[in-house]
Amino acid sequence: MVRGALWLVQVVGEGNTFTKEQLRDAFPGISQADRRIRDLRDYGWVLFTNSDDARLVAEDQRFVRAGVPVWDPAARRAAAPQKTISNKEKQAVLARDDYMCTVCGVSGGEAYLDDSNQSAVLSVTRRETVLPDGREQTLLVTECKRCRAGSDGSPARADEAMADIRALDPGEQKRLRRWIERGRRGSTPLERAWNAYRRLPADARDEVRAALES
Ligand SMILES: [Zn+2]
């Protein structure tokens, strides 16, 4: 589709006509080149056949106007025609995500901690995702309306998460793997020590501090 778009812009030119034969010659060995060209209509490209413009003969099409610059991946993604998500798919994603927003953790119908007048409405949305090996995929996630509204559309970055994990020392990596297996985070010796300290009466905390300084 991208090559077809560039061919239209650079070779055919807006306002000019082209034939199926020219298209075949431009993309030898590529089956369904005409279908890829038709797909451009989903991106706002205007192409007329003789059913749109009676002056054209059956073999001809007119490249009326270019649309979204599909050769720019960001522009293409932003304009991609969205297939609707079926109810079956939605239910499967909601169940997989435990009926919780994957961004803020609120459950469906639950009031927000910081705004008890508002209860969460969950929906299943598409999220651009960069996988650990750099591949990009659009994946379905459960999000609440509020998180969805606040999202800047930037992709989820599994590659960056992976880099952060690899930067941990081996002990931390091992602990993280245990959390991942359990599906929840455990407390670390550091946090346990901090909590034990915090629970002390003020005078005892002062003595701990003094003892550490000496
Ligand atoms: Zn949320």
Side-chain angles (χ1 to χ4, degrees):
M1 184 175 74
V2 169
R3 288 175 58 200
L6 292 170
W7 177 74
L8 285 173
V9 170
Q10 291 165 355
V11 179
V12 179
E14 270 187 4
N16 298 323
T17 59
F18 60 95
T19 63
K20 286 200 176 94
E21 198 185 336
Q22 285 173 322
L23 183 59
R24 270 197 302 271
D25 291 346
F27 301 102
I30 297 200
S31 62
Q32 302 190 313
D34 54 333
R35 179 172 288 182
R36 298 288 86 81
I37 292 275
R38 273 205 302 278
D39 287 345
L40 285 167
R41 288 175 162 172
D42 292 335
Y43 292 86
W45 290 61
V46 183
L47 299 156
F48 280 178
T49 63
N50 68 337
S51 61
D52 306 300
D53 181 345
R55 289 171 302 177
L56 293 169
V57 294
E59 265 295 286
D60 282 358
Q61 287 189 64
R62 188 185 305 282
F63 167 38
V64 181
R65 203 167 51 244
V68 171
V70 291
W71 45 85
D72 171 1
R76 188 172 69 236
R77 263 204 306 274
Q82 299 275 292
K83 249 186 13 199
T84 52
I85 305 166
S86 73
N87 269 330
K88 201 176 156 190
E89 270 177 305
K90 257 181 229 168
Q91 288 308 324
V93 172
L94 285 167
R96 181 202 63 195
D97 292 339
D98 293 325
Y99 301 90
M100 276 161 53
C101 171
T102 52
V103 180
C104 72
V106 75
S107 294
E110 186 182 39
Y112 289 99
L113 279 177
D114 59 347
D115 180 3
S116 55
N117 292 319
Q118 212 190 358
S119 57
V121 178
L122 299 180
S123 61
V124 173
T125 54
R126 291 190 166 77
R127 183 89 196 268
E128 289 303 323
T129 307
V130 183
L131 296 170
D133 62 2
R135 270 178 308 134
E136 287 185 30
Q137 258 181 22
T138 307
L139 300 174
L140 296 175
V141 293
T142 304
E143 273 179 344
C144 73
K145 233 181 191 169
R146 199 164 82 167
C147 288
R148 189 181 189 177
S151 158
D152 61 0
S154 62
R157 301 296 302 255
D159 56 339
E160 288 176 3
M162 200 66 217
D164 288 344
I165 293 169
R166 290 211 198 286
L168 299 172
D169 67 46
E172 288 169 326
Q173 282 201 30
K174 206 170 143 200
R175 181 172 296 136
L176 180 71
R177 276 206 302 276
R178 272 205 305 274
W179 294 359
I180 290 172
E181 275 160 32
R182 268 190 275 160
R184 64 187 173 82
R185 127 178 224 208
S187 62
T188 65
L190 181 63
E191 285 166 327
R192 281 196 294 276
W194 165 247
N195 284 330
Y197 166 78
R198 289 278 300 164
R199 280 196 298 267
L200 293 172
D203 289 351
R205 285 206 299 265
D206 288 346
E207 291 205 15
V208 169
R209 236 187 350 255
L212 286 172
E213 274 158 21
S214 65

